[in-house]
Amino acid sequence: HVKSSGKNGYQFFQEQMNTDFSEEFQIQTELREAISTDVLELYYQPKLSTDEQQLVGAEALLRWNHSSKGQISPSRFIPIAEKFGLIFDLDQWVLEHACKSIRHWLNRGLQVPPISINLSALRLRQKDLVEQVEHCLQHYQLDPAYLVFEITETAEMQDILQAIEVLARLNLMGIHIALDDFGTGYSSLTHLKLLPMQQLKIDRSFISDLTSKPGQAEIVESIINLAHALQLKVVAEGVETEEQLAHLQKVRCDEVQGFLLSKPLPEERFVQLLRQYSAG
Ligand code: C2E
Ligand code: MG
Ligand code: MG
Ligand code: MG
């Protein structure tokens, strides 16, 4: 593309790159500010057991309410935060806010299921991650069983031995680990038995084609059987139709998450759900 369009094409390419960069740079500047003001918010998406559809957990998902651009998606700003080294402060903000909310819910007498937090793979390389987590749990007087960390295998996780060590230390504390977006990107079968973890989340892309694409149902069933053989719980992400849910029940997927069951909810709405759950 660049070669064939000659000098002008190259110049265009350069300009495009500069525009992308300055836009990203602006986002990171504003994001830095957002962390210290209160425009970030956590939403919670319920996780249900596949059979009885009981609330078995929830995933905390970051939302950024930008003053002029509206809500910016984490799939846009998380990669920028990773690129500019802001992810450490951002994920620490999420950890603290989630712990603070859990403590608050418990104080109100609510029954709280484990809350999953997404952890950037970059954070597994952070020297004091385990200490920060310990400190946060201590500060809010929380049992580690209230937390699950979701990690995605990425290029950043090249140092598998280091990742194993950090995850094992978190496990020892009593925090469960889930492997997110399984089946995409860098996920590898070898790592499945090496990484200390308790849950495997099948990526949404497998679920959306589950009942339409030939062979997809077989792949999903094999992933579930493999995970069960390794004593892992399986969570299906992105369940959107009754048909998908029925199929997941048939192949004994343990837990489901998706718009069919519930969208990610703002905190007040999630608390309403916790109230029903605690009363029932
Ligand atoms: P993820 O951890 O795989 O989260 C699932 C994403 O799928 C969420 O998007 C969720 O809103 C969306 N989703 C859930 N059910 C459905 C469904 O039925 N259909 C469709 N089409 N989508 C569904 P979201 O909230 O935009 O987050 C995107 C990604 O950003 C997350 O993917 C996660 O990798 C990252 N992320 C979000 N919050 C955080 C955070 O606090 N820290 C870090 N490091 N990453 C985060
Ligand atoms: Mg996740
Ligand atoms: Mg995912
Ligand atoms: Mg993800």
Side-chain angles (χ1 to χ4, degrees):
H1 174 90
V2 175
K3 264 188 222 147
S4 64
S5 46
K7 210 179 168 198
N8 289 334
Y10 179 72
Q11 197 174 358
F12 170 77
F13 182 70
Q14 273 285 307
E15 277 163 14
Q16 188 57 43
M17 291 241 314
N18 292 341
T19 321
D20 289 350
F21 185 81
S22 58
E23 199 195 327
E24 283 188 354
F25 193 79
Q26 198 199 341
I27 289 182
Q28 77 75 47
T29 309
E30 291 175 337
L31 189 54
R32 208 175 279 275
E33 222 176 86
I35 298 172
S36 55
T37 54
D38 58 355
V39 290
L40 295 178
E41 196 183 346
L42 286 181
Y43 274 41
Y44 296 89
Q45 185 177 35
K47 265 190 353 185
L48 306 182
S49 59
T50 313
D51 294 332
E52 284 109 41
Q53 295 182 27
Q54 297 281 353
L55 186 68
V56 290
E59 177 175 6
L61 292 161
L62 200 50
R63 295 292 176 261
W64 178 12
N65 306 305
H66 190 278
S67 55
S68 58
K69 294 183 183 121
Q71 225 176 48
I72 304 180
S73 164
S75 33
R76 171 86 180 113
F77 67 78
I78 296 285
I80 297 175
E82 288 181 331
K83 187 163 157 182
F84 288 91
L86 264 179
I87 194 67
F88 306 102
D89 288 347
L90 200 61
D91 276 0
Q92 183 62 20
W93 185 96
V94 174
L95 175 69
E96 277 179 23
H97 277 253
C99 288
K100 191 176 173 180
S101 293
I102 296 170
R103 171 42 54 212
H104 186 64
W105 302 335
L106 291 170
N107 288 350
R108 289 160 72 185
L110 296 167
Q111 224 174 300
V112 183
I115 302 296
S116 303
I117 292 177
N118 291 286
L119 205 64
S120 164
L122 286 174
R123 269 201 114 197
L124 296 181
R125 291 203 230 146
Q126 197 182 343
K127 286 274 171 300
D128 56 352
L129 170 71
V130 177
E131 284 72 24
Q132 280 188 7
V133 174
E134 269 170 347
H135 182 263
C136 198
L137 288 169
Q138 222 159 52
H139 185 261
Y140 291 104
Q141 303 266 297
L142 288 182
D143 187 321
Y146 283 112
L147 292 186
V148 176
F149 285 137
E150 296 193 0
I151 55 151
T152 307
E153 285 180 273
T154 64
E156 281 76 41
M157 233 167 77
Q158 308 126 336
D159 194 349
I160 191 77
L161 290 177
Q162 190 188 21
I164 291 170
E165 193 204 313
V166 175
L167 297 178
R169 285 177 68 195
L170 293 167
N171 259 187
L172 262 175
M173 282 170 66
I175 296 175
H176 279 186
I177 306 295
L179 192 58
D180 207 350
D181 304 337
F182 184 75
T184 61
Y186 288 80
S187 54
S188 101
L189 290 178
T190 323
H191 292 172
L192 260 192
K193 66 174 194 308
L194 287 177
L195 292 171
M197 58 174 178
Q198 290 69 39
Q199 297 177 19
L200 188 146
K201 298 188 78 175
I202 304 179
D203 190 68
R204 191 168 79 216
S205 57
F206 288 90
I207 309 303
S208 60
D209 295 334
L210 184 64
T211 51
S212 54
K213 194 169 159 189
Q216 198 77 333
E218 287 75 10
I219 292 175
V220 168
E221 188 172 1
S222 307
I223 295 176
I224 293 172
N225 291 337
L226 174 64
H228 284 166
L230 295 168
Q231 265 82 49
L232 300 172
K233 274 224 158 87
V234 188
V235 186
E237 305 188 304
V239 180
E240 292 183 346
T241 70
E242 290 289 353
E243 216 186 345
Q244 291 163 356
L245 180 63
H247 188 88
L248 290 164
Q249 280 166 341
K250 208 172 70 189
V251 293
R252 302 189 13 260
C253 180
D254 304 285
E255 296 171 8
V256 282
Q257 212 182 354
F259 293 170
L260 175 71
L261 297 322
S262 170
K263 290 210 161 172
L265 306 170
E267 180 161 347
E268 318 91 71
R269 294 270 318 280
F270 181 62
V271 167
Q272 283 173 10
L273 197 79
L274 285 184
R275 266 204 215 95
Q276 291 168 9
Y277 166 68
S278 305

